[in-house]
Amino acid sequence: MGFFGRKKVEVPPHPRREPRIDLPLTVESVRQVFADCVDFSEREAALGGDPDKLVTLCYISGMVKMERASDYVLRPLAQDTVLSGCGMAQAMERIRKGALYNLGVEKRATMDEAVFDMIGGNCILFFPGEKEVLSFNVGTEEKRSISDPENEPPLKGPRDSFVESVRTNTSLLRRRVRTPDLRIRELLVGRQTVTPVDIVWIEGITNPETVRAVERRVAEIDIDALIATGNLEEYIADDIHTAFPTLAYTERPDRFSAGVVEGRVGLLIDGLPLGWLLPGTLSQFFKTPQDKSQGWMAASALMVLRYLCMLITLFLPAVYIAAVTFHLEMLPTELALSIIAAKQDVPFTTVFEVLLMLVAFEIIQEAGLRLPSSIGQTVSILGGLVVGSAAVEARIVSPAVLIVVAVAGIAGYTMPSQDFAGALRIWRFGLAALASLAGMFGAAIGALLLICHLASLESFGVAYLTPFAANDGEQMEGHAVIRQPLPSVKLRETALKTQNRRNQR
């Protein structure tokens, strides 16, 4: 067994997959591989304009930028008269050393390499009688433009976000983290998609054990396609039998860069406009990029508010059920009389009311997410105001239940991570069910089970409850909730086991 109890596997020394196309490296073989592919194209060209010396250029339409292929490859290939007096081997060597204008050129000796280069946007130049070919990087740069982040709106900070191109994302990272110690290693995942996955860390800061663990888990993934986020998260997470996320993700390059500088390992996937930060701990899901963009007092107050909202969204429905059903003496007399009077004409029990409204709240939220934004807002307003008010006036639910469920739902929206907020909603149902069975005792048992569950979780060897839990015997760090003034934060987190803990003098 390897690090963190995972089975050891050898990490491929090079991101390119082992050859799997057992065909000779010829133009005929390329035609055979891309048979029935309307986007496969080839073009013959004469070396130096000599019609007796023809070479063949193969490429995939839509994956290459036509202007680059024409201006940087074909035009100098036909206009360089020196090439007409060379043999094919000499011409290949001359072109590889700079006879053409293209920036990137590589020799390829296997069919597998040539095919995957073409799929990636390269054009392949075949020389008659030669066993090797030249691969030119003329890929198109068509992609979605960099825009403002939608799920993490910036209030005081940069307004760029990750896009679907992994090279664009690494450039956004390089512009912020300019150290030459930044390492970016690429692995290919997916038998059919062959998706590039970039592993990012800073040499000399990040724990090398964590880097090796991430590489092993990514290398172990053996699936057909890496297209959705779950294709990665559920394969490298320590425990998938939990509602709580153990991998933190972001669409903001500034937050991703800050996590890498802290000593975490980053993951970038081609085709997904997100970046993952490992290990993922509880405190990460309560922090926002704005926490370091405003004063430490305001940031600390907002952090405390988020933790209080977490308790409210989790326990408010359960406490209400327990108090009204089993412990009415806990409530002030006037409030208890008001609740009793409001429930006189309601035919359902308190438990059924609360669970019904919680389910209705989830249905309205799901409907709002699945519809276009303009219609979704209308559905949310209609469901929240009209349906809720109509249910109270029709004596289906009591006003107190509507208020409790609405407050619990709004408190859940303060969570910066929607995955974490979804886990809280699932546990909210469980706590409400336990409170309906045993009152406050049931709610306390549910809270104890929740704490035990969170304490049992780990993310790449780091306790999930960090910084509230000890790691390898080291006690929890101070100021877990209150953000310290930045000049006072001299060291990186102990739990990350970074090679260099000091981040400032």
mmCIF file of all heavy atoms in Angstrom, residues 221-237:
data_model
loop_
_atom_site.group_PDB
_atom_site.id
_atom_site.type_symbol
_atom_site.label_atom_id
_atom_site.label_comp_id
_atom_site.label_asym_id
_atom_site.label_seq_id
_atom_site.Cartn_x
_atom_site.Cartn_y
_atom_site.Cartn_z
ATOM 1 N N ILE A 221 -6.876 6.562 -12.688
ATOM 2 C CA ILE A 221 -8.193 6.711 -13.313
ATOM 3 C C ILE A 221 -8.189 6.012 -14.668
ATOM 4 O O ILE A 221 -7.405 6.354 -15.557
ATOM 5 C CB ILE A 221 -8.546 8.206 -13.477
ATOM 6 C CG1 ILE A 221 -8.569 8.900 -12.122
ATOM 7 C CG2 ILE A 221 -9.887 8.357 -14.179
ATOM 8 C CD1 ILE A 221 -8.821 10.391 -12.200
ATOM 9 N N ASP A 222 -9.059 5.047 -14.832
ATOM 10 C CA ASP A 222 -9.155 4.281 -16.078
ATOM 11 C C ASP A 222 -10.611 4.278 -16.528
ATOM 12 O O ASP A 222 -11.385 3.381 -16.200
ATOM 13 C CB ASP A 222 -8.640 2.852 -15.871
ATOM 14 C CG ASP A 222 -8.601 2.058 -17.173
ATOM 15 O OD1 ASP A 222 -8.730 2.679 -18.240
ATOM 16 O OD2 ASP A 222 -8.473 0.823 -17.107
ATOM 17 N N ILE A 223 -10.996 5.312 -17.243
ATOM 18 C CA ILE A 223 -12.360 5.465 -17.720
ATOM 19 C C ILE A 223 -12.334 5.844 -19.197
ATOM 20 O O ILE A 223 -11.291 6.184 -19.744
ATOM 21 C CB ILE A 223 -13.132 6.541 -16.917
ATOM 22 C CG1 ILE A 223 -12.379 7.888 -16.979
ATOM 23 C CG2 ILE A 223 -13.346 6.111 -15.488
ATOM 24 C CD1 ILE A 223 -13.082 9.012 -16.267
ATOM 25 N N ASP A 224 -13.493 5.784 -19.831
ATOM 26 C CA ASP A 224 -13.573 6.136 -21.244
ATOM 27 C C ASP A 224 -13.483 7.634 -21.469
ATOM 28 O O ASP A 224 -12.853 8.084 -22.427
ATOM 29 C CB ASP A 224 -14.873 5.607 -21.847
ATOM 30 C CG ASP A 224 -14.768 4.142 -22.249
ATOM 31 O OD1 ASP A 224 -13.626 3.654 -22.341
ATOM 32 O OD2 ASP A 224 -15.799 3.497 -22.448
ATOM 33 N N ALA A 225 -14.142 8.422 -20.603
ATOM 34 C CA ALA A 225 -14.242 9.856 -20.871
ATOM 35 C C ALA A 225 -14.081 10.654 -19.587
ATOM 36 O O ALA A 225 -14.652 10.302 -18.550
ATOM 37 C CB ALA A 225 -15.587 10.185 -21.526
ATOM 38 N N LEU A 226 -13.301 11.715 -19.664
ATOM 39 C CA LEU A 226 -13.199 12.694 -18.590
ATOM 40 C C LEU A 226 -13.810 13.986 -19.119
ATOM 41 O O LEU A 226 -13.145 14.808 -19.734
ATOM 42 C CB LEU A 226 -11.741 12.902 -18.175
ATOM 43 C CG LEU A 226 -11.470 13.974 -17.108
ATOM 44 C CD1 LEU A 226 -12.305 13.708 -15.864
ATOM 45 C CD2 LEU A 226 -10.001 14.040 -16.761
ATOM 46 N N ILE A 227 -15.108 14.121 -18.883
ATOM 47 C CA ILE A 227 -15.850 15.258 -19.411
ATOM 48 C C ILE A 227 -16.490 16.065 -18.288
ATOM 49 O O ILE A 227 -16.422 17.292 -18.283
ATOM 50 C CB ILE A 227 -16.930 14.790 -20.406
ATOM 51 C CG1 ILE A 227 -16.267 14.106 -21.614
ATOM 52 C CG2 ILE A 227 -17.794 15.952 -20.866
ATOM 53 C CD1 ILE A 227 -17.238 13.525 -22.603
ATOM 54 N N ALA A 228 -17.103 15.377 -17.324
ATOM 55 C CA ALA A 228 -17.757 16.052 -16.207
ATOM 56 C C ALA A 228 -16.834 16.107 -15.000
ATOM 57 O O ALA A 228 -15.859 15.357 -14.893
ATOM 58 C CB ALA A 228 -19.061 15.320 -15.849
ATOM 59 N N THR A 229 -17.142 17.001 -14.062
ATOM 60 C CA THR A 229 -16.319 17.153 -12.868
ATOM 61 C C THR A 229 -16.312 15.889 -12.019
ATOM 62 O O THR A 229 -15.305 15.550 -11.396
ATOM 63 C CB THR A 229 -16.818 18.329 -12.024
ATOM 64 O OG1 THR A 229 -18.193 18.112 -11.661
ATOM 65 C CG2 THR A 229 -16.715 19.628 -12.806
ATOM 66 N N GLY A 230 -17.439 15.169 -12.002
ATOM 67 C CA GLY A 230 -17.503 13.945 -11.200
ATOM 68 C C GLY A 230 -16.563 12.859 -11.705
ATOM 69 O O GLY A 230 -16.147 11.992 -10.920
ATOM 70 N N ASN A 231 -16.219 12.912 -12.997
ATOM 71 C CA ASN A 231 -15.276 11.934 -13.531
ATOM 72 C C ASN A 231 -13.912 12.049 -12.885
ATOM 73 O O ASN A 231 -13.120 11.103 -12.923
ATOM 74 C CB ASN A 231 -15.130 12.109 -15.046
ATOM 75 C CG ASN A 231 -16.414 11.849 -15.799
ATOM 76 O OD1 ASN A 231 -16.748 12.550 -16.733
ATOM 77 N ND2 ASN A 231 -17.166 10.836 -15.386
ATOM 78 N N LEU A 232 -13.609 13.189 -12.308
ATOM 79 C CA LEU A 232 -12.347 13.364 -11.586
ATOM 80 C C LEU A 232 -12.554 13.270 -10.083
ATOM 81 O O LEU A 232 -11.843 12.533 -9.393
ATOM 82 C CB LEU A 232 -11.726 14.719 -11.940
ATOM 83 C CG LEU A 232 -10.461 15.059 -11.152
ATOM 84 C CD1 LEU A 232 -9.265 14.319 -11.736
ATOM 85 C CD2 LEU A 232 -10.203 16.562 -11.152
ATOM 86 N N GLU A 233 -13.532 14.009 -9.561
ATOM 87 C CA GLU A 233 -13.690 14.130 -8.114
ATOM 88 C C GLU A 233 -13.945 12.788 -7.448
ATOM 89 O O GLU A 233 -13.374 12.491 -6.400
ATOM 90 C CB GLU A 233 -14.822 15.113 -7.804
ATOM 91 C CG GLU A 233 -14.515 16.548 -8.223
ATOM 92 C CD GLU A 233 -15.695 17.462 -8.001
ATOM 93 O OE1 GLU A 233 -16.787 16.946 -7.656
ATOM 94 O OE2 GLU A 233 -15.552 18.690 -8.174
ATOM 95 N N GLU A 234 -14.806 11.970 -8.045
ATOM 96 C CA GLU A 234 -15.164 10.716 -7.383
ATOM 97 C C GLU A 234 -14.077 9.655 -7.501
ATOM 98 O O GLU A 234 -14.168 8.607 -6.856
ATOM 99 C CB GLU A 234 -16.478 10.192 -7.965
ATOM 100 C CG GLU A 234 -17.666 11.085 -7.657
ATOM 101 C CD GLU A 234 -18.979 10.439 -8.036
ATOM 102 O OE1 GLU A 234 -18.996 9.204 -8.264
ATOM 103 O OE2 GLU A 234 -19.994 11.151 -8.119
ATOM 104 N N TYR A 235 -13.064 9.909 -8.317
ATOM 105 C CA TYR A 235 -11.986 8.933 -8.472
ATOM 106 C C TYR A 235 -10.765 9.258 -7.621
ATOM 107 O O TYR A 235 -9.952 8.372 -7.354
ATOM 108 C CB TYR A 235 -11.571 8.826 -9.944
ATOM 109 C CG TYR A 235 -12.537 8.016 -10.778
ATOM 110 C CD1 TYR A 235 -13.628 8.620 -11.378
ATOM 111 C CD2 TYR A 235 -12.372 6.646 -10.948
ATOM 112 C CE1 TYR A 235 -14.525 7.892 -12.143
ATOM 113 C CE2 TYR A 235 -13.267 5.911 -11.715
ATOM 114 C CZ TYR A 235 -14.338 6.532 -12.302
ATOM 115 O OH TYR A 235 -15.231 5.811 -13.063
ATOM 116 N N ILE A 236 -10.607 10.503 -7.216
ATOM 117 C CA ILE A 236 -9.422 10.848 -6.433
ATOM 118 C C ILE A 236 -9.764 11.259 -5.010
ATOM 119 O O ILE A 236 -8.856 11.458 -4.197
ATOM 120 C CB ILE A 236 -8.619 11.972 -7.113
ATOM 121 C CG1 ILE A 236 -9.387 13.290 -7.090
ATOM 122 C CG2 ILE A 236 -8.244 11.599 -8.532
ATOM 123 C CD1 ILE A 236 -8.561 14.467 -7.586
ATOM 124 N N ALA A 237 -11.048 11.389 -4.678
ATOM 125 C CA ALA A 237 -11.429 11.762 -3.314
ATOM 126 C C ALA A 237 -11.138 10.603 -2.361
ATOM 127 O O ALA A 237 -11.234 9.427 -2.730
ATOM 128 C CB ALA A 237 -12.905 12.141 -3.262
#
